[in-house]
Amino acid sequence: MILRDFQPADLPGVAALLEQLGYEPGVREIQDRLAHLAKASGQWVRVADVDGRVVGLLHVYERPALEKAREAVVQSLVVDAAQRSRGVGAALMREAEQWARERGLPAVALYTRIDRDAARAFYERLGYGLVATSHLMRREL
C-alpha cells in the first residue's frame, strides 16, 4: 500500500469510494470541489493506493475557531469495502494525526453518522472518544 497525495487520475477511484458511502456527486462535481480545496489553505487530500488502484481516501483540514483551540478535522475517510480491516483506514488516520502535529494542532476531530456503528467502533479502537452528539441544520440557498 502506498499513501500519497491525490492526483487528477484518481478521480474515478475517489468517486467510486464516495458512492460506497451513499454520495454520488460524479467525477465532474468532485473535480470542481477539489479545485476549490486546492485554492484554500489548510486542506489536505490523500489516497491509499494498492497495485495502482485507489482503495482509500482522506480529506483533512485545519479548523480555526473563536470558542476553542484550532484543530484538524477529518472531513472524509473512506476505505473500499473489499479493503476494510486491512489497515488502510488506520494508516490514513495516522497520516491525518501526523499532519495535525506538524501544523501544531492539539487535536483531531471527526464526525460520523449515528447509524455507522462499524465506523464508530473503528475510531474508538484508534483512541477516539465520543465528545458530543448534534443535529445538522441546513438551509439550501
Side-chain angles (χ1 to χ4, degrees):
M1 173 177 58
I2 298 168
L3 302 178
R4 59 177 173 75
D5 289 338
F6 167 85
Q7 300 296 318
D10 299 327
L11 278 168
V14 167
L17 288 172
L18 292 174
E19 284 177 21
Q20 288 186 26
L21 288 184
Y23 303 108
E24 298 185 26
V27 172
R28 178 57 134 192
E29 180 65 25
I30 294 168
Q31 187 175 23
D32 290 346
R33 292 174 185 179
L34 285 163
H36 285 283
L37 289 178
K39 294 176 189 173
S41 65
Q43 307 282 327
W44 198 39
V45 180
R46 297 281 279 174
V47 297
D49 178 315
V50 173
D51 298 326
R53 188 172 154 261
V54 174
V55 299
L57 169 69
L58 167 71
H59 169 212
V60 60
Y61 68 93
E62 181 179 336
R63 176 175 56 197
L66 291 173
E67 78 283 4
K68 59 185 171 184
R70 298 175 308 135
E71 62 187 358
V73 176
V74 173
Q75 180 66 32
S76 302
L77 178 72
V78 189
V79 175
D80 183 89
Q83 294 290 324
R84 292 182 188 149
S85 299
R86 296 184 181 181
V88 176
L92 287 168
M93 287 300 293
R94 283 191 300 272
E95 292 266 301
E97 292 168 359
Q98 183 59 35
W99 182 85
R101 279 187 206 92
E102 290 170 1
R103 297 176 76 80
L105 303 175
V108 176
L110 56 92
Y111 298 89
T112 184
R113 282 192 356 211
I114 198 164
D115 61 337
R116 291 192 172 141
D117 295 330
R120 191 171 53 259
F122 164 74
Y123 294 122
E124 288 172 351
R125 283 193 304 275
L126 296 180
Y128 288 78
L130 179 65
V131 174
T133 57
S134 62
H135 296 276
L136 174 64
M137 300 186 71
R138 178 181 178 151
R139 181 177 179 190
E140 296 292 330
L141 300 177

